[in-house]
Amino acid sequence: MGQPMVVGVDGSPSSLDAVETAAREAAVRGVGLRLVHAFGRTSSHVPRSGPPWSPAGAGVRELVDGTLAEAERRARDAAPGVELARDVAAGDPSAVLVFASRTASLTVVGSHGRGTVAGLLLGSTAGQLAAHGHCPVLVVREAGRAGGPVLLAVDDAPASAPAVRFAFAEARLHGAPLTAVHVCRPGSADAYDGAADPPFVTYDRGHLRDHAEQVLDAALAGCEQRYPEVTVRRRPVIGRVRHTLVEASADARLLVVGARGGGGFTGLLLGSVSQAVLHHARCPVAVVRDGRE
């Protein structure tokens, strides 16, 4: 059996959805699942009076036990044969899960938990884990489309290679096709030919599409040979990155994006684009870092 998976548990509906998804993923992979509950300053649902396990903190143990018991029940209902373990830690949930991800094959969290505004990831456990986790991180938003493809956001940065490998492995694992998307944005530095001031540039759409196809060919070549059983569809797109990825996610089972070791998303998936994907994707989002700090 390989490294176990980890799922963050706080009792919120979003985290329980993540538990069910994690249990099914663990079953497919043939690995165990650790249910990790952390409480600290960011866990507003934990009583503040007294040390958490002292008599003065009466009720906290019952609260935590109840939260984990419900998570365990949901996991067993979703995947009865998965080996489960419970972990409880005192500390900031983000830091606890980042640490736990060091020995995990995949870390799963809901898109929002207790004490956060639904749908927003900025500064949340999910956002921090996606930026700093030591293994691929699966953020469970809406359920992916059954039978849909694995959607891979491709750019031409070397840091995206682990995300490409992860996406192919996921497609093979689930018997799903893979749709690889590269978006060229008119107005970017490589979007026009010849010397001209940007306000006066006439964009060559044929050149943009050729460039997108070249990026896709280069990024996918090695994995297509390694995973010949995976059906691959290339989608070179000229347009807006955020809009393209969010719209395409509505028909996908999973969206896979790459991230640099420092926490920023690679290439075209920087800043507001990464936030838009995590905030608005219509399926679970897997964030795969390249491991370089």
Side-chain angles (χ1 to χ4, degrees):
M1 182 178 289
Q3 286 182 306
M5 288 173 46
V6 164
V7 60
V9 177
D10 68 2
S12 66
S14 181
S15 83
L16 292 174
D17 289 343
V19 166
E20 292 182 351
T21 297
R24 288 190 288 266
E25 290 296 318
V28 170
R29 289 166 168 76
V31 300
L33 177 63
R34 292 171 57 200
L35 309 173
V36 177
H37 178 83
F39 54 88
R41 291 184 178 181
T42 60
S43 296
S44 59
H45 64 293
V46 175
R48 297 181 179 179
S49 58
W53 302 112
S54 72
V60 177
R61 183 184 294 275
E62 290 79 4
L63 177 63
V64 171
D65 286 347
T67 296
L68 288 171
E70 174 62 12
E72 187 171 331
R73 184 188 69 78
R74 296 281 286 266
R76 293 200 185 283
D77 286 347
V82 170
E83 180 180 328
L84 300 178
R86 296 183 179 188
D87 283 341
V88 177
D92 176 78
S94 301
V96 169
L97 286 170
V98 168
F99 184 81
S101 72
R102 292 176 180 271
T103 56
S105 57
L106 179 68
T107 301
V108 185
V109 288
S111 60
H112 52 277
R114 292 186 183 274
T116 62
V117 179
L120 297 182
L121 284 167
L122 293 179
S124 71
T125 298
Q128 290 296 316
L129 185 60
H132 303 292
H134 297 277
C135 68
V137 174
L138 180 63
V139 179
V140 179
R141 292 185 46 77
E142 300 181 27
R145 179 185 171 190
V150 172
L151 179 65
L152 170 64
V154 174
D155 64 22
D156 52 2
S160 68
V164 175
R165 293 193 294 269
F166 180 87
F168 269 87
E170 284 295 295
R172 181 176 68 178
L173 193 63
H174 292 281
L178 185 145
T179 298
V181 179
H182 178 73
V183 184
C184 278
R185 298 173 298 178
S188 61
D190 61 351
Y192 57 90
D193 290 317
D197 294 329
F200 306 104
V201 170
T202 299
Y203 301 106
D204 184 340
R205 297 185 68 86
H207 169 72
L208 289 174
R209 182 168 292 277
D210 288 345
H211 174 72
E213 290 176 349
Q214 291 169 8
V215 170
L216 288 168
D217 287 343
L220 303 178
C223 282
E224 282 188 306
Q225 295 175 1
R226 183 177 178 184
Y227 299 93
E229 66 273 46
V230 174
T231 300
V232 179
R233 178 192 176 199
R234 289 165 166 77
R235 279 194 61 195
V237 177
I238 303 170
R240 296 174 294 164
V241 185
R242 285 171 287 179
H243 174 79
T244 298
L245 294 179
V246 171
E247 184 179 65
S249 71
D251 295 320
R253 65 175 300 120
L254 173 69
L255 169 58
V256 180
V257 297
R260 292 194 184 94
F265 283 74
T266 61
L268 297 180
L269 290 173
L270 284 169
S272 61
V273 173
S274 65
Q275 296 169 18
V277 168
L278 287 173
H279 289 177
H280 303 296
R282 303 285 298 278
C283 67
V285 178
V287 180
V288 185
R289 297 172 68 232
D290 71 338
R292 292 178 297 176
E293 297 294 342

